Amino acid sequence: EKSACFASQKFLIPAMAISKALCPCTPCCKWKNMEVTAWALDSSARGAMVISGIFLGVALLRTAKVAAGCTLCLDDTLDPLPPVGVNATCTEDPPCDGKVYGFKPSSLLAVMGTVVGLLAAITMPIIGAVIDHTNLRWKIGAITAFLLVAINVVQTSISQATWSLVAFLQIAAPYIYLVHCVVQYAYLPELTNDKNVLSDITAQCNMWQFMTQVFYIMIVVAATGATGADAIGSARISQILLVIWSGVFFYIPWAEMFQERPALHSVPEGESLLTLGFRRLKKTVAEMRSDFNSVFRMLIAVSFAEAGANAFTTIAVTYCDEVMGMTSTETSLLILVCLVTAVPASLLFARLTRYIGAHKSYMLSLVWWGVVTLVAPFFMSGPEHKANTYLFGVLWGMGFGWIYPTQRALYCLIIPGGQESELMGIYIFAGQILVWLPPAIFTLLNEADVSMKWGLASDACFFFVALAVTYVMGDFEIAQMKAKETLGKRVMGAQADGGDEEAVNLSNV
């Protein structure tokens, strides 16, 4: 293992000059299993890909406006200059009633998010069944990684002439990204048979991904400032960096480290891969509803909470562009504020969770998200309130650092032993099933000429619904005791270390 690891390092170190002193996951140096390093590097590539979508999203909004015949201000014109005219004195884009493909330009990102969310909700059980019941896991992971890099190569050509193609690819890329995530998470429980080591791995790999996102934003913002690039130029810089970064950090793990896996299960007689995932999902949910009702209600809460949190970035980018008049650099700095705040916040609220319990802490995190998102539009109503945007960025960042670890901890405390594989698969699926709804509501309100502040505020409703469902999930202490009665069935371990347990059952994803 060690010799194979250092054989891979000959590609890693010259390419990105990463040493064990700089990498939080110390790739190839700390962990016995080389696939841990692969998991960390893949996470880095995915983290950069998420951030690049912010710069690309702002550029798509601007190009869509030009395509709709709108006039842009001089300080944010495109190259070449839009033929619809330029106002040299305005500080924010004049109102525009033009449409592209039947929608307002300001609805573009929300419509794209809705389409991706619907595709994911409909097809993820099928993808999970294929990964679980065939030996194609590695091939799907490698192919999706290649496709993501190839798509981003094409997207480096974003311009007024190519924006429609880039927008279409920005629907395909997030969907392929989700498929890739399903494959990557299939490897996670196979990395070690020690639950404490697994926690250490996930925590440090999350930090590695976070650091990637922070430095990625800093590099793009610095390059944008040095070149004086506009929104479209900033997107090009981001895409070029992403192609280099993801090319290296996808190639090393999938060509050098991740190994192929046999099928975890055979397809039952009379079943097909197209229906198997849905059938198993229905069966497991029915069992939880009858035997562990608290778990069933928790999954409903997760569906609404994840929908609100996942839609936040899409809605926030549009809101910052349309209402706040922020450039792509200013919007990326807002996301940077969120990221930097999330880490200390997660440590702070972890202490609170230990003190008051996961159930109460999770409900408070939902209150936090709901109130902050509901109040924000009233303090962020125009370009003159840009400073307030960064203040709310801190508050949202604290919310990100609070809600995710608390939500996962609460779920793990109440699920029955012996069914972790299935139930973690359902947990991932629950987080995707409604992600299309907040951007769809945002789009409907925007197309009906309702003020965009109500579009942003509508996202808060999802957290309040999740709060209500969590509140009525039943007595948490009883739910936890019921789960403890089944802990004898829980098996810790992974195939990579010689364990006998199954990997995450992705038929439910």
Side-chain angles (χ1 to χ4, degrees):
E1 270 186 354
K2 192 172 183 180
S3 61
C5 186
F6 283 104
S8 293
Q9 271 194 330
K10 70 182 180 181
F11 296 99
L12 174 62
I13 299 301
M16 297 303 293
I18 296 176
S19 69
K20 69 177 182 178
L22 295 179
C23 176
C25 281
T26 54
C28 296
C29 303
K30 178 176 181 179
W31 311 107
K32 288 183 180 180
N33 184 2
M34 190 166 59
E35 287 184 342
V36 176
T37 299
W39 217 88
L41 299 181
D42 188 277
S43 296
S44 177
R46 291 189 299 105
M49 203 155 286
V50 170
I51 297 300
S52 73
I54 298 171
F55 295 96
L56 198 60
V58 174
L60 286 173
L61 286 174
R62 309 304 286 170
T63 52
K65 284 184 178 181
V66 174
C70 303
T71 300
L72 303 181
C73 289
L74 182 62
D75 62 352
D76 198 17
T77 54
L78 304 174
D79 184 16
L81 290 175
V84 293
V86 174
N87 188 331
T89 60
C90 68
T91 58
E92 58 180 305
D93 297 335
C96 177
D97 296 325
K99 294 190 175 184
V100 286
Y101 301 113
F103 296 97
K104 293 181 179 180
S106 54
S107 296
L108 178 66
L109 298 186
V111 170
M112 292 163 59
T114 301
V115 173
V116 173
L118 283 171
L119 285 173
I122 293 170
T123 62
M124 282 300 109
I126 300 174
I127 300 299
V130 171
I131 295 172
D132 251 2
H133 295 81
T134 71
N135 61 354
L136 299 177
R137 184 199 296 186
W138 179 88
K139 290 181 180 178
I140 294 174
I143 290 172
T144 51
F146 171 79
L147 289 176
L148 286 170
V149 175
I151 287 173
N152 281 283
V153 169
V154 177
Q155 289 180 320
T156 59
S157 66
I158 181 172
S159 66
Q160 192 59 51
T162 63
W163 80 271
S164 293
L165 172 62
V166 172
F168 171 77
L169 292 176
Q170 196 58 12
I171 294 175
Y175 177 76
I176 296 172
Y177 174 91
L178 288 174
V179 175
H180 185 82
C181 288
V182 171
V183 176
Q184 192 201 24
Y185 273 90
Y187 283 95
L188 181 59
E190 301 173 357
L191 299 181
T192 178
N193 60 358
D194 187 317
K195 65 178 182 179
N196 295 320
V197 173
L198 184 61
S199 297
D200 193 20
I201 289 171
T202 55
Q204 293 194 40
C205 288
N206 284 341
M207 181 63 72
W208 171 242
Q209 186 179 52
F210 160 77
M211 289 182 63
T212 295
Q213 293 175 322
V214 169
F215 283 111
Y216 189 94
I217 291 177
M218 293 173 64
I219 292 171
V220 176
V221 169
T224 299
T227 59
D230 56 11
I232 206 167
S234 180
R236 287 172 179 164
I237 292 171
S238 173
Q239 289 304 116
I240 292 171
L241 176 61
L242 177 64
V243 169
I244 297 171
W245 193 284
S246 62
V248 172
F249 284 97
F250 273 149
Y251 172 79
I252 294 172
W254 292 101
E256 301 289 328
M257 297 178 177
F258 277 127
Q259 302 299 312
E260 296 194 35
R261 294 291 195 275
L264 296 177
H265 309 283
S266 59
V267 180
E269 187 177 351
E271 295 276 9
S272 72
L273 291 175
L274 293 177
T275 60
L276 182 59
F278 293 101
R279 191 179 301 277
R280 295 187 65 171
L281 175 63
K282 180 181 177 180
K283 178 177 178 292
T284 305
V285 171
E287 290 176 353
M288 289 301 102
R289 187 175 183 181
S290 61
D291 299 333
F292 293 87
N293 192 256
S294 294
V295 177
F296 174 74
R297 295 188 181 186
M298 180 65 189
L299 288 169
I300 296 176
V302 168
S303 297
F304 282 92
E306 289 283 337
N310 287 336
F312 170 77
T313 302
T314 298
I315 294 175
V317 169
T318 302
Y319 190 89
C320 289
D321 180 80
E322 292 291 321
V323 178
M324 304 305 296
M326 297 173 70
T327 65
S328 59
T329 298
E330 291 171 328
T331 302
S332 63
L333 289 175
L334 171 63
I335 303 300
L336 179 61
V337 168
C338 290
L339 290 171
V340 171
T341 307
V343 172
S346 65
L347 300 175
L348 171 66
F349 290 118
R351 291 177 176 270
L352 177 66
T353 300
R354 286 194 294 270
Y355 181 72
I356 66 175
H359 187 221
K360 292 179 181 178
S361 182
Y362 181 57
M363 288 195 293
L364 287 175
S365 73
L366 294 171
V367 172
W368 180 280
W369 261 103
V371 171
V372 170
T373 306
L374 184 63
V375 170
F378 299 96
F379 293 90
M380 296 165 44
S381 56
E384 66 276 11
H385 298 142
K386 282 186 180 180
N388 292 347
T389 304
Y390 298 104
L391 171 61
F392 278 93
V394 172
L395 299 179
W396 278 314
M398 293 174 68
F400 278 119
W402 190 356
I403 191 171
Y404 285 124
T406 309
Q407 178 176 274
R408 292 165 187 158
L410 175 59
Y411 185 74
C412 289
L413 286 172
I414 62 175
I415 60 175
Q419 293 181 264
E420 293 85 1
S421 295
E422 284 184 299
L423 293 176
M424 286 309 297
I426 292 178
Y427 176 85
I428 298 171
F429 176 75
Q432 292 295 323
I433 195 171
L434 291 181
V435 293
W436 58 271
L437 190 53
I441 293 174
F442 183 87
T443 300
L444 291 174
L445 293 174
N446 189 45
E447 293 297 315
D449 294 323
V450 176
S451 173
M452 199 168 284
K453 70 179 183 180
W454 296 112
L456 176 58
S458 69
D459 194 47
C461 298
F462 288 84
F463 298 104
F464 290 129
V465 172
L467 173 64
V469 175
T470 306
Y471 181 77
V472 299
M473 68 182 285
D475 190 309
F476 171 68
E477 298 299 330
I478 294 177
Q480 191 174 9
M481 288 178 61
K482 194 171 183 179
K484 283 183 177 180
E485 293 174 357
T486 67
L487 292 186
K489 301 178 183 179
R490 183 164 293 179
V491 180
M492 302 303 301
Q495 293 172 355
D497 288 340
D500 296 327
E501 71 295 307
E502 295 180 0
V504 169
N505 189 340
L506 294 171
S507 294
N508 293 320
V509 177

